[in-house]
Amino acid sequence: EQLKGAVTFEHVSFRYPGMSTYVLKDISFHIRPGETVAILGSTGAGKSSILQLIPRLYDPTEGAVYVDGMNLKDVKMDDLRKRIGFTPQESILFSGTVEENLAWGKSDATLSEMKAAAQDAQIHETITDLKDGYETKLGQKGINLSGGQKQRLSVARALIRKPNILILDDSTSALDLQTESKVLDAIDKYKCTLFIVTQKLSTAKRADKIMLIDDGKIIEEGTHDQLMNTSTLYREIAYS
Ligand code: M5T
């Protein structure tokens, strides 16, 4: 089996360092390379906590996480960073040019790579409309982007690495349905495994697997059609 992009959780339980309560409780799943996983669940359910374990921001308290078939404990961090694109819930942009922000973490990125990624993330035209284009300064000494523009810039930054695994933690929440759908269509071409936290039914529908998270557990799992048939809770979300 080709394992580039595979992600497995094996009986993962997790509490944050110094905390006594478990925020993840015996989570197990296997995602095959190239699959799209939509993660749904109410606030505080544990969605971000699950995702943070994939780029090894934390180690599980119990159980194990495998990426590309390897136990994360055996993977060098530098190597892992090349395999995974991660956009956290709050986009991390700094005072610097658009170009510097895009190349953050991949300093050898070429301008044409940046433009291609920006086009896929539906932010290229916004950038070229700025006074100095890709050289426009952001932040304190420059211009401020809107929430949705920041999100798209963060997605572009993640795409530049051509990751095997892309993790979008609520990173498209500020996009309208049409823009989000264009971004996801473009991401499809990367053939990467995609984890996406979303509230949008249109995004859940595209997923090969939907995970419904509540109180640190996966309470429902399946495709949109399956869950529409089997899950009262999912139907409630779908019709709300
Ligand atoms: C799950 C706690 C949080 C909640 C639980 C990120 C983070 C979370 N928590 C910490 O103690 N420290 C942290 O650094 O863990 O939180 P989550 O995983 O962020 O849940 P979510 O992503 O489903 O929620 P939301 O609001 O982002 O949709 O008890 O206090």
Side-chain angles (χ1 to χ4, degrees):
E1 193 193 1
Q2 169 62 265
L3 288 173
K4 261 191 189 170
V7 178
T8 303
F9 274 48
E10 221 173 59
H11 298 295
V12 168
S13 294
F14 176 64
R15 50 188 156 86
Y16 283 93
M19 307 285 271
S20 56
T21 46
Y22 278 86
V23 297
L24 299 179
K25 300 161 188 170
D26 197 17
I27 301 246
S28 294
F29 60 78
H30 177 64
I31 304 303
R32 286 192 294 267
E35 284 188 318
T36 294
V37 185
I39 302 188
L40 278 73
S42 51
T43 176
K47 303 182 295 294
S48 298
S49 301
I50 293 176
L51 296 180
Q52 290 188 10
L53 299 183
I54 302 173
R56 208 180 170 189
L57 297 182
Y58 296 94
D59 284 325
T61 314
E62 281 138 46
V65 176
Y66 297 80
V67 164
D68 297 351
M70 294 175 294
N71 190 324
L72 280 190
K73 295 206 148 168
D74 303 325
V75 183
K76 290 205 182 73
M77 286 308 276
D78 274 358
D79 185 24
L80 189 63
R81 246 176 255 130
K82 285 185 206 130
R83 297 165 189 260
I84 299 179
F86 178 64
T87 64
Q89 210 164 5
E90 299 287 326
S91 342
I92 307 169
L93 299 177
F94 52 85
S95 298
T97 64
V98 170
E99 205 175 309
E100 285 163 348
N101 270 280
L102 282 170
W104 183 67
K106 192 178 188 312
S107 46
D108 61 348
T110 65
L111 189 57
S112 76
E113 283 174 330
M114 291 187 215
K115 284 183 179 167
Q119 259 153 0
D120 288 337
Q122 307 299 311
I123 191 68
H124 173 70
E125 275 163 35
T126 308
I127 298 169
T128 52
D129 283 347
L130 298 172
K131 185 163 109 343
D132 299 314
Y134 280 77
E135 271 149 49
T136 306
K137 283 212 162 53
L138 302 180
Q140 284 166 341
K141 290 189 180 152
I143 60 139
N144 281 309
L145 297 175
S146 74
Q149 290 169 339
K150 283 184 193 159
Q151 287 187 334
R152 281 176 281 160
L153 203 57
S154 304
V155 172
R157 177 197 271 164
L159 288 177
I160 287 171
R161 305 155 172 269
K162 302 199 170 62
N164 302 341
I165 299 166
L166 178 62
I167 300 169
L168 303 181
D169 187 356
D170 243 345
S171 315
T172 53
S173 58
L175 307 189
D176 60 78
L177 292 180
Q178 210 189 353
T179 306
E180 172 158 338
S181 150
K182 281 187 193 163
V183 172
L184 294 177
D185 285 344
I187 289 174
D188 278 345
K189 290 184 297 180
Y190 286 72
K191 306 276 179 219
C192 56
T193 305
L194 173 65
F195 288 86
I196 180 164
V197 172
T198 185
Q199 316 268 7
K200 294 189 183 108
L201 196 63
S202 56
T203 302
K205 275 185 183 166
R206 302 172 67 112
D208 300 295
K209 186 179 263 180
I210 297 165
M211 289 183 194
L212 217 56
I213 311 298
D214 188 45
D215 192 25
K217 292 183 285 266
I218 301 175
I219 51 165
E220 303 278 9
E221 220 174 325
T223 63
H224 170 80
D225 289 342
Q226 286 165 349
L227 293 182
M228 284 302 276
N229 278 321
T230 58
S231 167
T232 318
L233 187 62
Y234 186 75
R235 277 196 297 271
E236 272 170 26
I237 295 171
Y239 292 131
S240 65

